[in-house]
């Protein structure tokens, strides 16, 4: 799986994590501000990944930080840190 798709999958998972922590999540949008500390550990093919993501702290001033991983089996194949802004839709 290309690295850019691994990052996108982790970012989407992080967006869902953040929106699940607010009331009425359908009224908000998530915009990614920063992706940092990306590490590609190894290549993998034709296996289904597991994408855990955790928040590194509470949402402050509409900004959340997260850490995401891509696991294939028991191995971490990719990891990254994300920062996202949560904005209420008009």
């Amino acid at each position: 799986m290309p690295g850019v798709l691994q990052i996108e999958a982790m970012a989407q998972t992080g967006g869902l994590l953040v929106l699940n922590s607010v009331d009425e999540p359908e009224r908000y949008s998530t915009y990614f501000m920063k992706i940092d500390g990306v590490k590609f550990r190894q290549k993998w093919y034709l296996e289904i990944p597991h994408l855990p993501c955790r928040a590194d702290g509470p949402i402050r001033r509409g900004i959340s930080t997260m850490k995401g991983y891509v696991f294939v089996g028991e191995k971490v194949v990719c990891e990254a840190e994300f920062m996202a802004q949560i904005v209420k839709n008009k």
Side-chain angles (χ1 to χ4, degrees):
M1 183 173 189
V4 69
L5 293 179
Q6 293 178 47
I7 300 296
E8 179 66 23
M10 285 189 286
Q12 293 291 333
T13 304
L16 290 172
L17 173 71
V18 170
L19 288 178
N20 280 330
S21 66
V22 297
D23 294 332
E24 299 183 68
E26 64 277 355
R27 302 185 79 185
Y28 291 86
S29 294
T30 304
Y31 297 100
F32 283 90
M33 301 169 62
K34 181 171 85 168
I35 299 173
D36 199 15
V38 178
K39 295 178 185 169
F40 296 102
R41 304 262 182 220
Q42 73 181 68
K43 295 180 182 179
W44 56 279
Y45 304 96
L46 302 173
E47 295 184 49
I48 297 173
H50 177 65
L51 300 162
C53 190
R54 65 176 164 84
D56 283 344
I59 298 172
R60 293 186 187 141
R61 297 182 185 166
I63 296 176
S64 176
T65 56
M66 299 156 270
K67 177 98 175 176
Y69 300 90
V70 178
F71 280 89
V72 174
E74 298 290 322
K75 297 180 182 176
V76 176
V77 294
C78 183
E79 63 183 89
E81 297 171 3
F82 301 94
M83 182 181 291
Q85 183 176 21
I86 299 97
V87 177
K88 192 169 188 175
N89 299 331
K90 294 183 181 185

